[in-house]
Amino acid sequence: MDEANVLLEARRLAGLSQRSLAARAGTSQSAIARYESGVTAPSLATLERLLVACGRQLRLVHEPTVDEHDVELALEVLDLEPAARLQALANWSRLRSTRAS
């Protein structure tokens, strides 16, 4: 979810108008409108301040991404017989060690 949607959802859940959120956060209604429309993006500190004014908190989480190509390859390997899986792993290990050199 992007900043504009996060802010819009938080403001609506708080039952605030753009004007009342702006007053609480010490900014202008037009700035809130620009953020919510995606015309400009608030800094992380500004977004946090706006969310706090809506009674929310900003929580950042980093997670590993799922590369669909990797998932496809893993599924292909799982379809192999055990001996073929071991050979695929050996081939991959040789490739890795070659690249590391």
Side-chain angles (χ1 to χ4, degrees):
M1 187 179 276
D2 63 15
E3 301 94 338
N5 289 322
V6 167
L7 181 56
L8 180 61
E9 180 182 357
R11 182 178 62 77
R12 287 185 175 162
L13 287 170
L16 298 172
S17 66
Q18 288 181 346
R19 185 179 310 266
S20 60
L21 173 56
R24 283 182 176 200
T27 190
S28 66
Q29 178 275 326
S30 60
I32 301 296
R34 285 192 308 273
Y35 297 147
E36 289 184 354
S37 66
V39 171
T40 59
S43 68
L44 194 57
T46 298
L47 180 59
E48 183 176 29
R49 188 177 83 246
L50 294 170
L51 291 176
V52 167
C54 291
R56 313 293 285 180
Q57 80 178 50
L58 181 62
R59 186 174 300 169
L60 298 176
V61 177
H62 67 88
E63 299 173 336
T65 57
V66 176
D67 183 339
E68 293 192 24
H69 180 70
D70 288 345
V71 171
E72 183 180 319
L73 290 173
L75 291 173
E76 288 175 11
V77 169
L78 289 174
D79 283 339
L80 298 174
E81 294 294 322
R85 282 188 202 173
L86 289 173
Q87 186 59 52
L89 180 60
N91 292 342
W92 181 81
S93 294
R94 276 194 295 276
L95 178 63
R96 271 300 267 176
S97 65
T98 303
R99 286 186 176 176
S101 306

